[in-house]
Amino acid sequence: MDWLKSKLRRLSHPHAEPQEPDSDWIWFHAASLGEFEQGRPVIEAIRKQFPQFKILLTFFSPSGYEVRKDYAYADEVAYLPVDTPRNAARWVKSHHFVAAFFIKYDFWFNYMRALKKAGIPLFYISLILHEDDFFFKPYGKWFRKQLQTVTHFFVQDETTARLLHEHGLNDVTICGDTRFDRVADIAKQAKPFPEIEHFIGGRKCIIAGSSWLPDEKLLLDFLPTMPDDYCLIIAPHDISESHVAQIKAMFPEAQCYSDLAAEKRLRILIVNTIGILSQLYQYARFVYIGGGFGVNIHNIQEPVTFGCPVVFGPKYESFKEAVDLVSLQGAFSVKDSVGLNAVFTRLMTDDAFYEKSSSTCRNYLKSQVGATEIIIKGFKNTLFL
């Protein structure tokens, strides 16, 4: 496995000598692809506003590194060597860092201490913590002490800010989740898909995004009640040939995105490609998001950006936006096909209910964007004043 060999080389041989010693670098670290997407608006804003700085982007997971190793806004992309005091000390000397950003909740304590010792400001962005996190357990004193190495915390919610304040960490700003800035940009730049528009053909559209088999079974139970003026687009999380074949067996009247050139227009479309789902939500009346009958739901921010009410399974409480929108009735959690049919039916037939849910999603998005601007202002105040 090439990625593993590459990673092991980097873990064993982190930079020993400074690279381009006359250059000033800003270091961003993301555990994986999801965290990268949260940090991306900040990376791109710094690149545009401070072109004098070079950017180093590191990952822990291959799912981030392999996808973004050629990311145009970074001057260097690498795996981060394992968190040992020796590796951390060598790494901090490998570039002339002026600042470091760690995204969400990836804590590398040796690196954090090395940055503090070198006088390099460390910022956490989109951080979210919970009462039951190990920092706040009876045995968490040592871990809490490590948080004192952080220059400033840019956090998602009031709970995180309160937990930090209660333990003497006062350099905290509540600014929300930077990923909302990213998905808002995606929505603004959404391109048309003529073949999708042809498939929809004036009908109202339900999109099931990142679905798994339990989700698809619920959709199968709903199908007999779907009105004739509706169509269904299923974009499964697993687009392997075997799973797509399984979906086609469940929905014999479905056609695949790769076959849309065919003249026959059916009721169900299976999106058997990647990279377009976030923009397809522009065509949805409302959306079902998969994963809630497994480990956890997938991203709901993308459909919310287009004002789409969102429905999902029972496992969603790890995501603040899902919890918020369920309480506001912009999103709905269901436990079975009966619950799904009831919510879908109301969204299809009760226009006032639908419009209120859609407006709730749009207003929630408006209330959440702007985190990147707050972080950039805090960065400038720290670095230049």
Side-chain angles (χ1 to χ4, degrees):
M1 300 172 68
D2 291 340
W3 70 263
L4 182 56
K5 292 177 181 178
S6 173
K7 183 170 184 177
L8 289 173
R9 283 196 299 270
R10 287 181 178 273
L11 296 184
S12 301
H13 305 288
H15 293 298
E17 299 298 332
Q19 304 295 307
E20 298 187 58
D22 293 334
S23 298
D24 291 331
W25 290 75
I26 298 177
W27 170 25
F28 285 85
H29 176 68
S32 189
L33 188 60
E35 288 78 13
F36 164 78
E37 289 296 333
Q38 286 180 297
R40 184 172 180 169
V42 180
I43 295 172
E44 296 183 1
I46 284 181
R47 171 60 87 195
K48 291 175 182 176
Q49 295 186 39
F50 307 100
Q52 70 269 33
F53 296 129
K54 289 183 175 291
I55 291 177
L56 168 65
L57 172 64
T58 60
F59 289 98
F60 172 74
S61 167
S63 68
Y65 176 79
E66 291 299 328
V67 174
R68 294 301 178 192
K69 59 187 176 184
D70 297 318
Y71 177 52
Y73 284 84
D75 297 282
E76 183 180 346
V77 182
Y79 284 111
L80 184 60
V82 290
D83 189 22
T84 67
R86 182 170 179 266
N87 281 349
R90 294 173 70 190
W91 185 267
V92 168
K93 294 177 181 178
S94 68
H95 300 70
H96 185 254
F97 292 119
V98 298
F101 289 84
F102 285 10
I103 302 165
K104 202 168 185 180
Y105 39 53
D106 208 26
F107 297 98
W108 295 62
F109 297 122
N110 289 305
Y111 284 93
M112 292 162 65
R113 289 197 298 273
L115 288 166
K116 178 73 171 179
K117 184 177 180 180
I120 300 167
L122 170 60
F123 304 94
Y124 265 85
I125 57 178
S126 290
L127 177 66
I128 188 163
L129 298 172
H130 305 92
E131 299 271 3
D132 59 352
D133 286 337
F134 64 90
F135 288 108
F136 312 115
K137 298 289 187 181
Y139 55 80
K141 183 177 180 180
W142 183 90
F143 297 103
R144 290 194 298 274
K145 186 177 180 180
Q146 309 314 302
L147 297 179
Q148 295 173 7
T149 62
V150 179
T151 305
H152 202 94
F153 299 92
F154 293 97
V155 305
Q156 293 192 34
D157 62 5
E158 293 181 0
T159 298
T160 302
R162 175 180 58 78
L163 289 168
L164 293 171
H165 287 315
E166 287 176 353
H167 293 90
L169 298 161
N170 297 314
D171 291 315
V172 180
T173 300
I174 302 170
C175 61
D177 186 349
T178 49
R179 189 175 172 97
F180 278 104
D181 296 332
R182 172 64 181 157
V183 297
D185 286 340
I186 291 173
K188 290 176 183 176
Q189 298 170 19
K191 65 177 183 179
F193 290 81
E195 66 277 21
I196 295 291
E197 294 171 2
H198 175 73
F199 166 78
I200 294 172
R203 298 176 293 189
K204 297 172 183 176
C205 181
I206 303 168
I207 294 181
S210 301
S211 62
W212 295 83
L213 186 59
D215 307 301
E216 290 144 12
K217 288 180 177 178
L218 262 63
L219 296 170
L220 182 62
D221 291 340
F222 157 74
L223 191 60
T225 66
M226 187 171 76
D228 291 338
D229 61 340
Y230 271 80
C231 61
L232 172 64
I233 295 178
I234 302 173
H237 183 79
D238 175 8
I239 61 166
S240 64
E241 289 186 13
S242 59
H243 186 59
V244 170
Q246 189 176 23
I247 298 174
K248 290 189 73 173
M250 294 170 64
F251 300 89
E253 58 181 299
Q255 62 188 133
C256 288
Y257 180 77
S258 56
D259 300 327
L260 271 181
E263 287 298 318
K264 189 174 182 181
R265 188 162 60 91
L266 303 176
R267 299 177 74 202
I268 304 170
L269 177 68
I270 303 169
V271 178
N272 57 339
T273 188
I274 60 173
I276 65 172
L277 178 59
S278 62
Q279 298 186 67
L280 292 187
Y281 290 128
Q282 65 182 296
Y283 297 112
R285 179 172 171 85
F286 59 90
V287 169
Y288 178 89
I289 292 293
F293 290 92
V295 176
N296 222 322
I297 61 170
H298 292 280
N299 176 28
I300 72 166
Q301 294 173 338
E302 291 167 347
V304 167
T305 305
F306 290 101
C308 299
V310 185
V311 184
F312 40 72
K315 294 184 180 179
Y316 67 90
E317 294 187 349
S318 296
F319 294 91
K320 178 181 181 295
E321 62 272 17
V323 174
D324 290 347
L325 284 168
V326 166
S327 68
L328 295 169
Q329 287 201 310
F332 308 90
S333 175
V334 299
K335 296 180 179 179
D336 50 33
S337 59
V338 174
L340 180 139
N341 285 358
V343 173
F344 275 24
T345 298
R346 191 168 184 193
L347 287 169
M348 291 186 297
T349 60
D350 188 336
D351 288 340
F353 177 76
Y354 169 80
E355 291 298 337
K356 182 180 178 182
S357 297
S358 179
S359 296
T360 295
C361 290
R362 292 185 187 278
N363 291 335
Y364 184 79
L365 174 73
K366 290 177 183 177
S367 73
Q368 297 298 308
V369 296
T372 299
E373 183 178 348
I374 294 171
I375 292 168
I376 295 299
K377 183 178 179 181
F379 167 74
K380 288 164 64 176
N381 289 340
T382 300
L383 212 61
F384 299 115
L385 292 185

